[in-house]
């Protein structure tokens, strides 16, 4: 069948092909006449083509000829160009010669008329000519003498003008004639005296600056103590100086650029910098004298020395509060210096950018600029100031924190004491102040200092308080009631010594917890603030800052460590001694019940009800006095202790079916209670215990296979096969052979 | 988490001009930049090296030698795992200052900090401090000793690798001892070695 079908198919295909071929043939035949006509036309065209070829050859020849003549013409044009250039040059020289004549005539009259701009203009024209070429052209022409004479006159006039302008400039400076000063300042470059002009002008500016700065400093020194800005008057004076300098640069930069050309700012700045250095030195010297800095620094280092050797150093200690304002002033001063240096650098860099085009030369100039800035007395004093700041800030931070710890107090119903808020307020203040100094190195150093204070002093104190321990003499309810009664009888509630130590212990524990949060916030906010204050940090600076901030995370680790230490204290002194007898009472209960005993047991107060009640009263005594993290930590420890102890007593007991049933119920309600007591999941901590209960609650030995093995219903076991067998052995109704026969 | 297991802070100190910056540059970038200006404040470089197939990140703090930066540089001593004290073998005064530097280290650095004495510039002909004098000083003060040349790249790699190896050894020993004496005295210094593992051990 299939063969036939295929053959039929093949036949159809062939038929189709035949048809197609036939069609095509028909088509060819049809076209024949058309093709014939075409051939006829083409044979007619043939002779025309021959003549076309000849004509094309002619055309090619013509084009060749044209190309040759074009070549010739362009040669001639080149020669002409050359000639024209020479004519131009010649004209230039003639013009120069004529100008020399004109200039030499004009310059004298100009000088006589005191029109120095015009005179200098003539000289400038003369100086802009190629001097050697000028001499050469002079010898080329006939009346040598007149040109040479003109040149001579001009050279004399240049010299004359230079002297006059210098003199006039000096005079204008002496007369404080600002208009004339600027007038002659503009003439210097015309006489090729750029450097001289800038030097003289800058000297003039420096003189002005000195006068103003002197006056400002005097005003500051004479300012009465009652003055509102008395506490920052030196910072103000410094600010005025820098503002004056910046104004000078801003005003005169366009003037210099227009008349002297770009690229001169560096020399202007280097002249100004000398005066700036002198003035800064004066201000800082007065500042140090009036604010008695040396004395304060000496006092601080004295304290440092004494506290490390002996303990009675309280005699002449500097109050950190007194330093507060001074430190503030220093940071302002430092910030101003930083700002001014940045301003100068930016200005000069921009000037270099437009005036120097070769990158190598540019880098050279930038290097020179950095050298100028770094070698300046201003930079040196800035560093000195920062160093001073850091010494004072460190003292301020250490002393303020130790003060905060010293006056530590607790409001009733507060979980933490005042030292936490106070300490972090101080540290945040110091870091913010460091940020306001504008120096990354300063910020990093203060962060480092803060880490040291927190880790050594602050954590040390918390740990010290926890070391006192939590007095274990546990007050049960009746005792507490009696204490309360007697207190009321005495008219006031006076907590006993033990009570005080307990409160102190819990508060120290809470303080550590609260501090971890504070440190985290501190870290985040510091990073944000620094980014705002110093927006264009490069990756290296960023790394530096982050590395220093990571010092704060090790403070957190330290605090967690302190908390852990406190928790262990609680475990040993409170939880363990309480819990053991409560759980051990399980041993006194009959776990092999019959139905009657079961209902009797359930009707009365069961083991787990008592346990929960005890745990509840224990926990509730801590609930309000611990932070939630610490409370959770306590519960964690409590659960650990309860489950471990519970396991132990179970292994010491023997159960029947109903006993196992009861146990399973009790474990469930215990786990339920503790889950509700805390915010995080405790189920995990109960896994072993509930698995033990599950085993003891089995109907028969083989039922274990429902839970054990590699199937969907199986549990993830926390018990080893040996343990499972041991637990099953606790059921008196399970046969040992059955248990041994199990394949686990 | 970045792909290194240990992070150590190494701080270089010593008089101005003894070649601290050049040592760091040689090690971190393989360069010897001549005509280096004085360091301002502190500089910060990172290099990751491999010790026993473990990636070790060295955070190198290059401090300014000049007196006026002392209050900045001192603040870095406390968290340092290793301190490299550098002097110039061709310059007696830089050697004479070593006791002052040691006093600073005693005052500010952790007592367990790894201390290394380095005599730099051994490429120079005009040596003033013989090797044995340096060795002797180091031995008396319980420090490692090495002579280097940042210019000729001599012993520079060795210096930092030795530090990395030693610190790693220390960290490993600490890890072990921590398991034993668990809670009571864990210093903050070791905890910064590897934050994640520490946290998990504490809980």
């Amino acid at each position: 069948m299939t063969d036939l079908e295929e053959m039929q198919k093949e036949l159809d295909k062939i038929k189709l092909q035949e048809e197609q071929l036939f069609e095509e043939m028909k088509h060819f035949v049809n076209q024949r006449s058309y093709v014939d006509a075409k051939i006829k036309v083409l044979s007619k065209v043939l002779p025309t083509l021959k003549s076309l070829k000849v004509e094309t050859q002619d055309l090619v020849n013509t084009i060749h000829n044209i190309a040759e003549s074009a070549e010739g013409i362009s040669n001639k044009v080149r020669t002409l160009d050359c000639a024209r250039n020479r004519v131009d040059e010649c004209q230039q020289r003639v013009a120069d010669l004529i100008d020399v004549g004109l200039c030499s005539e004009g310059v004298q009259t100009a000088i006589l008329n005191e029109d120095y701009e015009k005179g200098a203009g003539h000289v400038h024209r003369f100086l802009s000519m190629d001097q050697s070429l000028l001499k050469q052209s002079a010898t080329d022409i006939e009346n040598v003498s007149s040109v040479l004479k003109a040149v001579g006159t001009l050279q004399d006039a240049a010299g004359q003008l230079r002297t006059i302008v210098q003199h006039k400039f000096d005079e204008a400076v002496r007369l404080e004639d600002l208009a004339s000063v600027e007038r002659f300042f503009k003439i210097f470059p015309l006489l090729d005296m750029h450097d001289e002009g800038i030097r003289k002008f800058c000297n003039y500016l420096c003189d002005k600056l000195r006068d103003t700065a002197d006056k400002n400093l005097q005003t500051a020194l004479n300012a009465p103590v009652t003055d509102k800005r008395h506490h920052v008057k030196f910072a103000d004076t410094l600010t005025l100086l820098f503002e004056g300098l910046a104004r000078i640069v801003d005003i005169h930069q366009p003037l210099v650029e227009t008349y002297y050309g770009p690229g001169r700012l560096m020399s202007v700045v280097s002249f100004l910098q000398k005066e700036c250095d002198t003035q800064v030195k004066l201000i800082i010297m007065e500042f140090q004298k009036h604010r008695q800095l040396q004395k304060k620094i000496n006092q601080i280092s004295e304290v440092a020395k004494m506290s490390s050797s002996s303990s009675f150093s309280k005699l002449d200690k500097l109050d950190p509060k007194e330093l507060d304002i001074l430190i503030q002033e220093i940071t302002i001063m430092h910030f101003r210096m930083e700002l001014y240096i940045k301003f100068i650098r930016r200005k000069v860099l921009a000037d270099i950018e437009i005036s120097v085009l070769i990158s190598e030369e540019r880098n050279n100039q930038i290097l020179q600029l950095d050298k100028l800035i770094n070698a300046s007395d201003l930079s040196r004093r800035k560093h000195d100031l920062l160093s001073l700041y850091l010494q004072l800030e460190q003292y301020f931070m250490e002393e303020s924190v130790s003060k905060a710890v010293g006056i530590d107090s607790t409001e009733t119903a507060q979980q933490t004491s005042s030292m936490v808020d106070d300490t972090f307020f101080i540290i945040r203040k110091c870091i913010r102040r460091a940020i306001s100094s504008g120096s990354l190195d300063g910020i990093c150093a203060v962060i480092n200092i803060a880490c040291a204070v927190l880790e050594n002093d602050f954590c040390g104190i918390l740990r010290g308080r926890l070391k006192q321990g939590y007095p274990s003499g546990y007050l049960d309810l009746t005792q507490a009631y009696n204490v309360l009664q007697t207190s009321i009888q005495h008219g006031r509630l006076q907590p006993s010594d033990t009570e005080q130590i307990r409160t102190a212990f819990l508060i120290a524990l809470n303080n550590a917890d609260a501090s971890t949060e504070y440190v985290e916030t501190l870290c985040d906010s510091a990073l944000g603030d620094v980014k705002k204050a110093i927006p264009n940090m490069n990756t290296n600076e960023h790394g530096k800052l982050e590395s220093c901030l990571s010092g704060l995370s090790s403070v957190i680790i330290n605090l967690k460590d302190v908390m852990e230490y406190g928790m262990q204290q609680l475990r040993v002194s409170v939880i363990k001694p309480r819990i053991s007898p409560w759980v051990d009472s399980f041993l006194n209960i009959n776990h092999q019940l019959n139905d009657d005993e079961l209902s009797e047991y359930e009707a009365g107060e069961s083991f787990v009800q008592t346990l929960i009640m005890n745990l509840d009263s224990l926990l509730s005594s801590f609930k309000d006095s611990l932070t939630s993290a610490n409370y959770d930590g306590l519960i964690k420890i409590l659960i650990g202790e309860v489950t471990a102890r519970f396991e132990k007593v179970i292994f010491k007991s023997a159960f029947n079916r109903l006993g196992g049933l009861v146990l399973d119920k009790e474990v469930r309600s215990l786990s339920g209670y503790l889950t509700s007591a805390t915010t995080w999941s405790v189920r995990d901590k109960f896994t072993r215990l509930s698995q033990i209960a599950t085993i003891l609650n089995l109907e028969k030995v083989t039922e274990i296979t429902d839970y054990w093995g590699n199937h969907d219903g199986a549990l993830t076991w926390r018990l080893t096969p040996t343990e499972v067998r041991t637990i099953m052995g606790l059921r008196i109704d399970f046969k040992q052979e059955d248990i041994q026969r199990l394949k686990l | 988490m970045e792909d290194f297991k240990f992070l150590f802070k190494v701080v270089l100190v010593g008089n101005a001009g003894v070649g601290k910056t050049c040592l760091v540059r040689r090690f971190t970038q393989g360069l010897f930049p001549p005509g280096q200006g004085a360091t301002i404040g502190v500089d910060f470089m990172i290099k990751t090296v491999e010790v026993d197939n473990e990636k070790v990140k060295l955070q190198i703090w290059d401090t300014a030698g000049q007196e006026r930066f002392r209050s900045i540089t001192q603040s870095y001593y406390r968290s340092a795992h290793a301190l490299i004290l550098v002097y110039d073998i061709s310059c007696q005064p830089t050697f004479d200052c070593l006791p002052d530097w040691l006093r600073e280290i005693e005052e500010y650095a952790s007592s367990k900090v790894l201390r290394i004495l380095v005599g730099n510039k051994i490429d120079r002909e005009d040596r003033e401090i013989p090797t044995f004098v340096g060795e002797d000083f180091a031995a008396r003060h319980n420090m490692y000793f090495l002579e280097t040349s940042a210019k000729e790249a001599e012993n520079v790699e060795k210096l930092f690798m030795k530090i990395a190896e030693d610190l790693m050894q220390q960290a490993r020993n600490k890890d072990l001892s921590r398991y034993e004496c668990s809670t009571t005295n864990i210093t903050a210094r070791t905890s910064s070695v590897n934050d994640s593992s520490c946290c998990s051990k504490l809980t």
Side-chain angles (χ1 to χ4, degrees):
Chain A
M1 272 304 272
T2 48
D3 273 356
L4 193 67
E5 213 168 83
E6 265 172 32
M7 278 159 81
Q8 189 68 40
K9 256 188 204 160
E10 206 57 33
L11 186 67
D12 285 347
K13 226 193 235 167
I14 288 165
K15 263 188 191 159
L16 203 72
Q17 272 179 357
E18 191 189 336
E19 242 169 74
Q20 275 173 356
L21 282 172
F22 193 71
E23 273 302 307
E24 270 173 47
M25 270 159 74
K26 235 200 271 175
H27 187 67
F28 281 131
V29 172
N30 284 346
Q31 277 201 329
R32 195 198 155 151
S33 64
Y34 173 74
V35 172
D36 277 349
K38 279 277 169 196
I39 288 171
K40 233 178 248 168
V41 176
L42 278 175
S43 55
K44 264 186 215 154
V45 172
L46 216 53
T48 332
L49 271 178
K50 271 178 194 151
S51 70
L52 196 66
K53 190 188 169 187
V54 176
E55 275 169 34
T56 315
Q57 192 59 49
D58 281 352
L59 189 65
V60 169
N61 287 342
T62 323
I63 288 171
H64 263 299
N65 289 341
I66 290 170
E68 260 166 44
S69 41
E71 187 77 15
I73 289 167
S74 72
N75 255 340
K76 277 174 192 153
V77 169
R78 226 172 283 141
T79 326
L80 271 174
D81 254 1
C82 184
R84 213 192 64 177
N85 278 346
R86 287 194 186 142
V87 170
D88 274 354
E89 245 170 63
C90 191
Q91 261 181 335
Q92 178 70 38
R93 278 163 80 169
V94 170
D96 279 0
L97 284 174
I98 294 168
D99 278 357
V100 165
L102 285 177
C103 287
S104 77
E105 280 163 31
V107 77
Q108 288 301 342
T109 28
I111 291 174
L112 284 179
N113 293 340
E114 299 200 346
D115 189 350
Y116 302 113
E117 280 82 3
K118 204 167 172 193
H122 287 311
V123 172
H124 183 64
R125 171 78 186 90
F126 167 65
L127 291 174
S128 69
M129 296 171 195
D130 188 332
Q131 299 286 325
S132 61
L133 211 62
L134 200 62
K135 286 218 176 79
Q136 209 187 335
S137 23
T139 50
D140 285 350
I141 56 168
E142 282 167 26
N143 63 359
V144 182
S145 60
S146 78
V147 175
L148 280 184
K149 199 179 133 212
V151 170
T153 320
L154 275 167
Q155 276 166 347
D156 285 349
Q160 212 180 332
L161 267 173
R162 281 180 185 143
T163 331
I164 292 173
V165 170
Q166 288 195 33
H167 180 72
K168 287 274 178 189
F169 184 90
D170 290 345
E171 203 174 86
V173 167
R174 206 171 49 245
L175 296 175
E176 297 208 25
D177 179 356
L178 186 63
S180 305
V181 167
E182 279 195 13
R183 179 185 165 196
F184 292 107
F185 171 64
K186 291 171 191 167
I187 294 176
F188 281 116
L190 295 177
L191 300 171
D192 255 2
M193 297 169 78
H194 295 85
D195 293 341
E196 181 73 6
I198 286 189
R199 189 178 62 79
K200 277 190 168 294
F201 190 57
C202 285
N203 279 342
Y204 162 71
L205 292 175
C206 287
D207 286 348
K208 298 263 282 158
L209 191 71
R210 191 176 312 129
D211 290 346
T212 342
D214 274 352
K215 257 179 248 156
N216 288 337
L217 187 56
Q218 281 313 316
T219 324
L221 289 179
N222 293 331
V225 188
T226 49
D227 193 290
K228 238 191 337 199
R229 299 194 61 81
H230 182 266
H231 60 284
V232 286
K233 64 182 184 181
F234 292 104
D236 282 351
T237 316
L238 200 65
T239 310
L240 285 176
L241 173 70
F242 289 139
E243 280 174 356
L245 273 162
R247 210 174 303 123
I248 286 177
V249 173
D250 266 340
I251 292 174
H252 296 94
Q253 191 212 357
L255 206 67
V256 172
E257 208 176 297
T258 317
Y259 294 96
Y260 287 69
R264 301 267 171 191
L265 197 57
M266 177 116 74
S267 58
V268 172
V269 164
S270 63
F271 281 116
L272 291 177
Q273 192 54 48
K274 276 188 205 122
E275 189 57 36
C276 168
D277 286 349
T278 318
Q279 294 307 325
V280 168
K281 182 181 164 194
L282 287 175
I283 294 172
I284 290 196
M285 268 166 56
E286 289 297 334
F287 165 71
Q288 290 188 321
K289 199 169 85 192
H290 281 80
R291 304 287 198 222
Q292 296 178 310
L293 271 175
Q294 203 47 54
K295 193 180 149 207
K296 284 170 182 154
I297 292 287
N298 287 345
Q299 255 175 305
I300 288 175
S301 48
E302 202 73 5
V303 168
K305 257 182 241 153
M306 280 167 80
S307 64
S308 59
S309 58
S310 68
S311 55
F312 57 97
S313 55
K314 307 269 179 205
L315 300 167
D316 194 19
K317 230 176 188 180
L318 211 52
D319 187 354
K321 256 192 195 149
E322 276 175 40
L323 291 177
D324 199 20
I325 293 163
L326 177 63
I327 298 174
Q328 195 71 38
E329 191 177 22
I330 295 177
T331 50
I332 297 173
M333 290 170 89
H334 185 274
F335 180 65
R336 300 294 178 204
M337 289 174 163
E338 188 88 35
L339 213 59
Y340 176 69
I341 287 174
K342 274 192 187 142
F343 167 80
I344 289 295
R345 203 179 129 81
R346 196 177 62 234
K347 280 277 175 187
V348 177
L349 273 184
D351 190 50
I352 291 173
E353 202 71 17
I354 54 164
S355 64
V356 187
L357 300 171
I358 311 155
S359 68
E360 202 176 308
E361 173 62 18
R362 191 182 289 173
N363 287 342
N364 235 338
Q365 293 228 358
I366 293 173
L367 230 64
Q368 218 180 313
L369 169 67
D370 285 339
K371 223 176 182 175
L372 172 75
I373 291 173
N374 288 338
S376 71
D377 199 43
L378 173 66
S379 296
R380 215 170 58 75
R381 291 199 182 272
K382 185 178 75 117
H383 298 318
D384 286 343
L385 214 53
L386 186 66
S387 159
L388 204 62
Y389 160 70
L390 288 173
Q391 290 174 56
L392 294 173
E393 190 75 288
Q394 176 164 13
Y395 179 80
F396 177 84
M397 198 193 286
E398 287 170 354
E399 286 301 312
S400 307
V401 167
S402 92
K403 242 180 157 184
V405 171
I407 58 164
D408 188 29
S409 65
T410 319
E411 300 274 307
T412 35
Q414 284 281 320
Q415 292 178 334
T416 56
S417 65
S418 67
M419 70 181 260
V420 178
D421 281 351
D422 291 351
T423 299
F424 283 94
F425 175 79
I426 293 158
I427 284 171
R428 198 175 54 221
K429 176 185 174 141
C430 293
I431 291 179
R432 286 215 175 128
R433 191 150 56 190
I435 292 171
S436 78
S437 77
S439 154
L440 186 64
D441 270 339
I443 297 166
C444 287
V446 170
I447 292 173
N448 289 341
I449 294 169
C451 291
V453 168
L454 286 175
E455 242 170 64
N456 299 346
D457 304 346
F458 189 75
C459 286
I461 280 157
L462 291 181
R463 194 184 283 273
R465 289 191 184 165
L466 292 179
K467 256 200 192 115
Q468 309 275 317
Y470 190 88
S472 52
Y474 182 78
L475 289 171
D476 53 37
L477 283 172
T478 47
Q479 255 179 305
Y481 179 74
N482 287 337
V483 170
L484 201 65
Q485 284 294 317
T486 43
S487 304
I488 287 165
Q489 278 161 14
H490 282 252
R492 64 202 151 102
L493 212 79
Q494 197 175 35
S496 61
D497 280 351
T498 11
E499 203 61 23
Q500 260 175 349
I501 297 172
R502 276 185 196 144
T503 318
F505 181 93
L506 294 182
I507 284 192
L509 199 59
N510 290 336
N511 283 349
D513 178 37
S515 299
T516 58
E517 270 172 51
Y518 270 116
V519 174
E520 269 166 41
T521 328
L522 190 68
C523 199
D524 291 346
S525 71
L527 186 63
D529 289 349
V530 176
K531 274 183 183 162
K532 252 183 259 158
I534 310 176
N536 300 315
M537 278 192 288
N538 59 35
T539 44
N540 199 18
E541 288 169 326
H542 221 272
K544 203 160 149 181
L545 175 66
E546 273 183 358
S547 166
C548 289
L549 284 174
S550 77
L552 287 173
S553 14
S554 73
V555 172
I556 294 183
I557 292 170
N558 223 322
L559 286 166
K560 292 241 162 91
D561 207 29
V562 169
M563 283 163 74
E564 178 64 23
Y565 175 74
M567 282 299 171
Q568 291 308 325
Q569 295 264 48
L570 282 182
R571 180 209 293 275
V572 174
S573 61
V574 180
I575 296 177
K576 223 175 176 157
R578 290 282 107 199
I579 279 178
S580 301
W582 294 340
V583 178
D584 286 355
S585 70
F586 185 77
L587 293 171
N588 307 330
I589 296 168
N590 177 17
H591 303 291
Q592 296 153 32
L593 307 162
N594 57 35
D595 288 339
D596 290 345
E597 283 166 333
L598 175 66
S599 40
E600 195 185 319
Y601 179 76
E602 282 182 341
E605 195 168 287
S606 65
F607 162 74
V608 80
Q609 277 169 327
T610 321
L611 179 60
I612 288 174
M613 196 194 76
N614 283 330
L615 290 178
D616 199 48
S617 77
L618 174 64
L619 283 177
S620 65
S621 68
F622 284 100
K623 181 153 192 170
D624 292 330
S625 44
L626 282 177
T627 59
S628 63
N630 278 333
Y631 184 63
D632 280 349
L634 182 74
I635 293 181
K636 210 180 272 182
I637 286 180
L638 181 98
I639 290 173
E641 286 297 320
V642 169
T643 51
R645 193 77 191 181
F646 208 164
E647 251 181 58
K648 230 181 248 167
V649 295
I650 288 173
F651 276 95
K652 282 186 198 157
S653 310
F655 303 83
N656 67 359
R657 170 79 186 82
L658 287 181
L661 182 80
V662 169
L663 176 71
D664 195 43
K665 265 193 202 162
E666 296 199 312
V667 167
R668 273 171 216 274
S669 55
L670 182 62
S671 146
Y673 162 71
L674 287 169
T675 305
S676 68
T678 174
T679 47
W680 45 272
S681 168
V682 298
R683 208 159 300 260
D684 194 49
K685 297 258 176 196
F686 270 95
T687 317
R688 261 179 76 91
L689 199 58
S690 28
Q691 285 177 352
I692 291 171
T694 308
I695 295 172
L696 290 173
N697 192 22
L698 293 177
E699 292 267 4
K700 51 184 188 290
V701 176
T702 47
E703 206 186 315
I704 185 77
T705 50
D706 291 355
Y707 304 103
W708 192 279
N710 266 331
H711 54 87
D712 289 345
L715 298 174
T716 317
W717 286 89
R718 295 284 178 80
L719 301 168
T720 63
T722 329
E723 279 174 327
V724 172
R725 285 202 172 89
T726 317
I727 293 159
M728 291 181 119
L730 299 175
R731 277 281 292 270
I732 47 161
D733 47 337
F734 286 174
K735 282 194 189 113
Q736 205 59 34
E737 310 94 77
D738 294 344
I739 298 171
Q740 291 309 323
R741 226 179 287 130
L742 281 174
K743 283 189 182 121
L744 296 175
Chain B
M1 192 69 194
E2 288 175 65
D3 66 335
F4 59 87
K5 251 188 127 174
F6 295 90
L7 173 78
F8 298 122
K9 288 189 183 175
V10 180
V11 178
L12 283 95
V13 296
N15 277 26
V18 296
K20 296 181 290 299
T21 304
C22 287
L23 280 171
V24 176
R25 286 289 170 89
R26 170 59 77 191
F27 176 63
T28 55
Q29 300 169 333
L31 298 174
F32 179 74
Q36 187 76 30
T39 307
I40 290 172
V42 277
D43 242 350
F44 164 83
M45 300 264 176
I46 284 184
K47 180 152 172 160
T48 308
V49 296
E50 215 164 279
V51 179
D52 303 339
N53 297 323
E54 295 270 26
K55 286 218 169 113
V56 177
K57 192 166 168 179
L58 291 179
Q59 217 177 54
I60 304 167
W61 295 87
D62 171 25
T63 66
Q66 286 165 316
E67 178 72 33
R68 75 173 69 99
F69 297 110
R70 219 39 62 82
S71 43
I72 295 175
T73 55
Q74 277 165 359
S75 75
Y76 287 90
Y77 286 34
R78 197 184 59 91
S79 57
H81 296 103
L83 272 164
I84 306 179
L85 177 49
V86 189
Y87 68 92
D88 174 356
I89 57 127
S90 65
C91 180
Q92 185 71 42
T94 64
F95 186 81
D96 295 339
C97 283
L98 293 182
D100 297 336
W101 285 107
L102 279 182
R103 224 166 300 145
E104 268 207 6
I105 293 172
E106 289 296 332
E107 187 174 352
Y108 298 102
S110 148
S111 57
K112 288 160 217 146
V113 69
L114 182 66
R115 298 183 301 178
I116 305 99
L117 182 66
V118 169
N120 192 29
K121 306 197 188 175
I122 49 170
D123 51 281
R124 293 190 52 144
E125 303 282 314
D126 52 346
R127 180 191 276 270
E128 286 185 4
I129 297 113
T131 308
F132 75 88
V133 175
E135 263 170 3
D136 187 49
F137 184 92
R140 262 187 292 128
H141 295 92
N142 204 8
M143 304 167 89
Y144 281 114
F145 180 70
L146 209 59
E147 284 194 337
T148 59
S149 162
K151 192 176 176 187
E152 309 288 342
E154 233 179 291
N155 277 345
V156 178
E157 190 81 13
K158 188 177 161 191
L159 166 68
F160 286 97
M161 288 310 288
K162 171 85 181 137
I163 290 172
E165 284 162 17
D166 272 31
L167 288 176
M168 199 150 107
Q169 194 59 45
Q170 243 185 47
R172 288 206 166 125
N173 289 343
K174 285 244 170 65
D175 262 3
L176 288 178
S177 63
R178 283 168 59 144
Y179 279 115
E180 289 152 18
C181 66
S182 75
T183 54
T184 38
N185 54 36
I186 299 166
T187 63
R189 234 169 48 72
T190 46
S191 38
S192 63
V193 167
N194 188 348
D195 295 1
S196 68
S197 73
C198 288
C199 295
S200 59
K201 263 166 236 153
L202 288 174
T203 48

